[in-house]
Amino acid sequence: MLFRNVMRLVIVGLLTIGSLAARAWTDEEFLVKDAEYQQHCRNEILRQQNTCMCRFLKDRQAPQKLPKIIGASSSRKSSRSFIATAGASCVDGFAAGYPCMNADLMSFLPLQDIGARQTTDENDEVVVDDIANDIWGWTDAGSGREFALIGMKTGTSFVEITNPSSPIYLGVLPTHDAVSNWRDIKTFSDHAFIVAEGGAQGMQVFDLTQLLSLVDNVPTIFDETAHYSGFSNSHNVFVNEETGFAYAVGTGPIDNFTENVCPQGLHMVDVRDPTNPTYAGCFNADGYTHDLQCVIYNGPDIEHDGKEICFCCNADHVTIVDVSIKAAPVQLSNVTYENRGYTHQGWLTDDQGFFIFGDETDEIQLNSTTRTLVLNVGDLDNPFLSGIYVSPDSNAIDHNQYVVGSHLFKANYRAGLRVLEMNDITTASFTEVAYFDIYPSDNDAAFNGAWSNYPYFASGNVVVSGIGEGLFVIAVNLDEKPGLPSTIPLVPPTPSAFCFSGENAVTLEDGEDISIQSLSIGDKVLVHDGSYEPVYSFGHRNPIDYGDYLRLLTQNAILELSPDHMVYVGGSFIPASTVQMGDILSNGEAVSSINAVSRQGIYAPFTTSGTVVVSNVVCSSFISLQKDSAYLMLGTVRLPISWQWIGHTFEMPHRLLSSLGETYTEEGISMWVVAPKFVMQWILNQHVVVMSIIMIPAVMGLGLLFLIGQPWFVVVITLVSIFVTGRIHWQGKLCHTGPSASYTR
């Protein structure tokens, strides 16, 4: 008899494990009834301004005749990759003849070796008939390979600089129409977006992943991947990688017979599907825009928090525009300044409290050394000039500049690359800490030398485009290495919170959408299968403190949740930290942007099914306690038990006894959540052997009791939970940092 009972128990145990495996692998009870949503299409893409010589007449003068370029060979025709000047360290103020400080030359490729047009002169000598203009960079997220994208008079050149001492010229994308001295490039979703001043250029789209597979056929003449013809010429383009919208500025009409739909201002293009760019809107109420930067605002002016804001350089002033609604953009302010010449280009500090910009003609107009202007934009409706940094020794014109942490990387024409440390941004107290002068002859105020630079490679290398020189790869020696700016993240950050922000919305039974912070116990909300279930508890309910969240953006939804909170993707619930751009959420839309935000309010509503539709997206009520894993991991082994199932099972006593009332910690965390989470985290911190000894029998036992339906199972688990809840005084914080508040119901 004993043997028979033991065998029955073993058989039931095996059946239990099989049932748990099948249930955990598929999460069938949580599948959304939406055929389109079941088609999971994960694109492996990058998660991660600038040109000029504007409409100012002097800015359009031809490049001046240069002295012989160090290391160049003007008679050599480009048929493969060349290194005209090998790398050289900066010693005693020089590197390969170039003046320098705290900056080493890694390599240099002259124009003729990066696809420049060449002709013959009257002596039948081969000469370069081209210039370099704008430059940008691209990093392949999968391999980490780095590429420089260089604008030329005749097209766009591509150079791999993964090995900065041995760059490889890969090929050129010819201009779409006429040649132009002014070309501009930005990137998004592994594609380059290219505009130019010449002819019917429109906006070229180029799939950068083509660069990854080139082996023998180098250099290559590429074809554009797609083309946007909503305008002809454009002076500049900026792509907000947080939203997937491009902003072409200084645009012209398609032809002489077609009205310009957005002359001179912000011509907005939806590029979330990069190969199918579509017109999105226009802002041109404040004159000609020369350059701009657009961000999802997360700065000191909380009135505009979370909005898409553009900071525009408009010839003689700076204009700030809210472009959140593309069909109805709103100008927030504009501000001018004394002794203005031509307001050219600028970039925000990482905290978005200041906009640092350059005036392209003030050095000539005032007979001044190089000036860098700082605009205080702490109040977007009332910006003001807070200071001007004046170079102590260089008369060169500043052109394009970018912020990396506490440093400003400037391309100052004849003075080359200049790096300033921002000691006190409020007063424009800067110190020059590094430079590499690509135009050794002089630092006069003229339009030669460095057009632009790109300082955002993770390697720390900076690429500089020399108008009459070519491509320079520079290693700047700073304590703070260059890297991706805060507004263009390579990978989503991982803030610490386990809840939803108060900015999210839920749908009530009557169809009304309300803020999650207005939700109450007993309210019936939309869940995964289209039904409505009552909220029986809040795992966390704190309207006072701030939490750090991931912000997932699709075409019609904005979802803000913690990295460990789970969202429904591709047939199962996965941690938000594992969501990638291109993933399809339950609303049938692809994720087009992932970034970090800080929000007031921390909420985690619990429903019977353990699901809730938040901002039109199916989400879990629970988190994954193991980083980046939807399933329980024992060491490196993934068990067939999902965290969704674990959360739902361990919440059973809470669901049954929630009517008895709840107690919250000072941080607003339900004690029903604190106790089991504490126990689970303790288990997961043990050695894998100890964890296995505890977890495998425990899960088998719980599953067995759950399937058999023993009534004392609930009683035992409930008593244990009450005991642990009463005995443990856990001081950890689940969802936030900040002042505490006490809540009881």
Side-chain angles (χ1 to χ4, degrees):
M1 180 66 70
L2 178 61
F3 176 75
R4 183 179 302 172
N5 288 335
V6 170
M7 289 304 298
R8 285 175 178 172
L9 182 59
V10 171
I11 292 171
V12 171
L14 292 174
L15 291 174
T16 299
I17 296 173
S19 300
L20 290 175
R23 183 177 182 184
W25 278 113
T26 61
D27 282 329
E28 286 180 351
E29 63 176 302
F30 300 110
L31 292 179
V32 178
K33 299 172 182 177
D34 182 348
E36 179 182 6
Y37 179 58
Q38 305 306 321
Q39 299 174 355
H40 176 64
C41 56
R42 173 165 295 181
N43 297 322
E44 296 180 358
I45 57 178
L46 180 64
R47 298 200 204 176
Q48 9 156 295
Q49 137 157 302
N50 328 335
T51 178
C52 157
M53 293 183 158
C54 50
R55 298 198 177 270
F56 178 67
L57 181 60
K58 289 184 179 180
D59 197 29
R60 289 178 173 268
Q61 64 185 348
Q64 299 178 23
K65 186 175 180 61
L66 303 178
K68 181 176 176 60
I69 300 170
I70 297 175
S73 175
S74 60
S75 62
R76 186 170 51 188
K77 187 173 182 179
S78 175
S79 59
R80 57 183 178 86
S81 65
F82 293 102
I83 303 174
T85 297
S89 298
C90 183
V91 179
D92 296 330
F94 289 91
Y98 295 96
C100 59
M101 179 177 71
N102 293 329
D104 299 326
L105 176 65
M106 303 305 293
S107 59
F108 164 64
L109 289 175
L111 290 173
Q112 65 268 23
D113 290 346
I114 56 173
R117 181 173 62 181
Q118 301 180 67
T119 59
T120 54
D121 60 14
E122 63 276 8
N123 298 319
D124 204 30
E125 290 287 327
V126 177
V127 295
V128 174
D129 181 23
D130 214 329
I131 67 167
N133 41 62
D134 184 47
I135 193 166
W136 202 243
W138 175 66
T139 301
D140 173 52
S143 63
R145 293 166 62 183
E146 297 178 344
F147 300 84
L149 321 178
I150 309 107
M152 308 281 284
K153 185 176 181 179
T154 53
T156 305
S157 294
F158 305 96
V159 177
E160 179 167 5
I161 63 159
T162 305
N163 180 351
S165 299
S166 183
I168 302 172
Y169 167 55
L170 300 175
V172 63
L173 172 67
T175 185
H176 182 80
D177 191 50
V179 298
S180 173
N181 287 345
W182 300 273
R183 195 171 304 276
D184 199 73
I185 312 156
K186 296 296 180 294
T187 60
F188 170 71
S189 188
D190 292 339
H191 288 76
F193 300 86
I194 305 162
V195 300
E197 284 278 17
Q201 166 72 17
M203 183 170 69
Q204 291 177 294
V205 182
F206 179 74
D207 183 354
L208 292 165
T209 62
Q210 297 178 69
L211 305 179
L212 301 175
S213 57
L214 295 176
V215 180
D216 299 322
N217 191 24
V218 174
T220 297
I221 298 178
F222 296 102
D223 294 323
E224 60 191 34
T225 306
H227 183 258
Y228 177 77
S229 58
F231 53 80
S232 55
N233 61 290
S234 172
H235 185 76
N236 215 313
V237 65
F238 181 85
V239 180
N240 187 351
E241 295 192 49
E242 296 179 279
T243 62
F245 282 88
Y247 299 86
V249 295
T251 60
I254 299 173
D255 53 48
N256 294 331
F257 308 99
T258 306
E259 181 181 359
N260 191 350
V261 296
C262 190
Q264 300 192 331
L266 280 63
H267 185 119
M268 309 177 201
V269 185
D270 185 346
V271 296
R272 287 175 292 186
D273 179 357
T275 60
N276 184 34
T278 56
Y279 175 75
C282 172
F283 175 82
N284 62 350
D286 199 33
Y288 174 82
T289 297
H290 183 79
D291 210 329
L292 77 166
Q293 182 189 11
C294 302
V295 299
I296 294 296
Y297 185 74
N298 190 30
D301 191 346
I302 59 175
E303 177 187 354
H304 300 289
D305 192 43
K307 299 177 181 178
E308 187 170 9
I309 306 295
C310 292
F311 298 79
C312 310
C313 292
N314 282 23
D316 63 356
H317 62 279
V318 174
T319 301
I320 302 176
V321 186
D322 180 354
V323 295
S324 303
I325 303 175
K326 304 297 181 287
V330 177
Q331 179 176 320
L332 302 180
S333 59
N334 65 15
V335 60
T336 189
Y337 50 96
E338 293 183 355
N339 298 318
R340 59 189 178 274
Y342 197 94
T343 311
H344 181 258
Q345 180 268 347
W347 207 257
L348 288 167
T349 53
D350 285 351
D351 64 0
Q352 299 183 355
F354 296 87
F355 184 69
I356 306 173
F357 67 100
D359 186 306
E360 197 175 15
T361 63
D362 55 356
E363 288 83 9
I364 297 174
Q365 182 174 297
L366 301 175
N367 193 26
S368 167
T369 55
T370 310
R371 305 197 320 158
T372 304
L373 298 93
V374 178
L375 195 68
N376 187 317
V377 292
D379 180 352
L380 297 182
D381 301 290
N382 296 286
F384 61 91
L385 191 70
S386 62
I388 301 175
Y389 168 75
V390 181
S391 170
D393 54 14
S394 173
N395 296 314
I397 300 168
D398 52 333
H399 197 214
N400 291 302
Q401 52 206 315
Y402 301 97
V403 172
V404 179
S406 62
H407 292 97
L408 183 66
F409 287 71
K410 297 170 62 70
N412 287 356
Y413 280 129
R414 288 194 173 193
L417 175 69
R418 300 280 158 163
V419 183
L420 306 180
E421 183 170 359
M422 300 180 286
N423 306 309
D424 184 355
I425 188 66
T426 62
T427 60
S429 175
F430 297 165
T431 302
E432 187 172 81
V433 294
Y435 64 80
F436 192 93
D437 189 351
I438 72 167
Y439 193 96
S441 301
D442 61 63
N443 288 341
D444 293 346
F447 299 98
N448 308 97
W451 183 296
S452 193
N453 76 96
Y454 180 82
Y456 296 126
F457 287 119
S459 64
N461 294 314
V462 181
V463 288
V464 179
S465 55
I467 297 172
E469 294 84 8
L471 170 67
F472 293 82
V473 184
I474 311 293
V476 179
N477 303 312
L478 301 174
D479 292 336
E480 176 184 38
K481 287 295 183 182
L484 287 173
S486 59
T487 53
I488 310 179
L490 176 63
V491 294
T494 54
S496 56
F498 300 134
C499 307
F500 299 100
S501 80
E503 299 293 318
N504 291 287
V506 293
T507 303
L508 299 181
E509 192 173 20
D510 61 3
E512 179 186 4
D513 289 334
I514 66 169
S515 168
I516 201 169
Q517 58 192 332
S518 302
L519 195 61
S520 301
I521 299 292
D523 286 344
K524 289 188 174 183
V525 295
L526 182 64
V527 296
H528 68 284
D529 60 0
S531 65
Y532 294 85
E533 295 177 351
V535 174
Y536 68 82
S537 176
F538 283 86
H540 207 127
R541 190 181 192 185
N542 186 334
I544 305 299
D545 293 340
Y546 282 79
D548 296 322
Y549 302 97
L550 288 180
R551 188 174 191 265
L552 309 182
L553 178 71
T554 71
Q555 184 172 359
N556 296 298
I558 299 175
L559 175 65
E560 295 176 353
L561 73 173
S562 66
D564 293 332
H565 216 103
M566 293 189 289
V567 60
Y568 195 82
V569 175
S572 62
F573 287 98
I574 65 173
S577 61
T578 64
V579 175
Q580 299 182 19
M581 289 196 295
D583 282 351
I584 307 299
L585 301 184
S586 62
N587 61 357
E589 297 176 353
V591 175
S592 59
S593 172
I594 305 173
N595 63 290
V597 294
S598 179
R599 294 282 187 259
Q600 187 174 27
I602 304 165
Y603 301 89
F606 286 168
T607 64
T608 304
S609 66
T611 68
V612 61
V613 176
V614 180
S615 299
N616 294 319
V617 176
V618 174
C619 298
S620 171
S621 296
F622 312 119
I623 63 170
S624 166
L625 293 182
Q626 290 177 310
K627 181 177 176 60
D628 296 339
S629 177
Y631 292 87
L632 177 64
M633 302 289 294
L634 292 182
T636 59
V637 179
R638 188 184 89 165
L639 296 183
I641 303 171
S642 70
W643 281 108
Q644 174 67 20
W645 182 86
I646 293 174
H648 195 249
T649 300
F650 274 81
E651 260 296 296
M652 180 164 37
H654 188 190
R655 287 195 297 274
L656 294 175
L657 299 178
S658 60
S659 59
L660 299 180
E662 299 215 35
T663 301
Y664 290 91
T665 68
E666 290 185 349
E667 291 80 25
I669 311 167
S670 168
M671 289 302 293
W672 287 101
V673 174
V674 170
K677 181 179 186 299
F678 176 84
V679 173
M680 183 62 72
Q681 284 186 325
W682 179 85
I683 293 173
L684 294 175
N685 287 332
Q686 306 309 305
H687 188 276
V688 64
V689 175
V690 177
M691 191 192 310
S692 302
I693 293 173
I694 297 172
M695 289 299 298
I696 293 178
V699 172
M700 287 177 60
L702 288 176
L704 180 61
L705 291 172
F706 182 73
L707 289 179
I708 294 175
Q710 296 293 336
W712 52 270
F713 165 68
V714 173
V715 177
V716 171
I717 296 300
T718 301
L719 290 176
V720 171
S721 298
I722 292 174
F723 174 79
V724 176
T725 299
R727 300 288 293 178
I728 293 177
H729 299 283
W730 183 55
Q731 299 301 320
K733 296 183 179 180
L734 285 180
C735 295
H736 73 294
T737 56
S740 359
S742 181
Y743 302 93
T744 351
R745 180 178 71 81

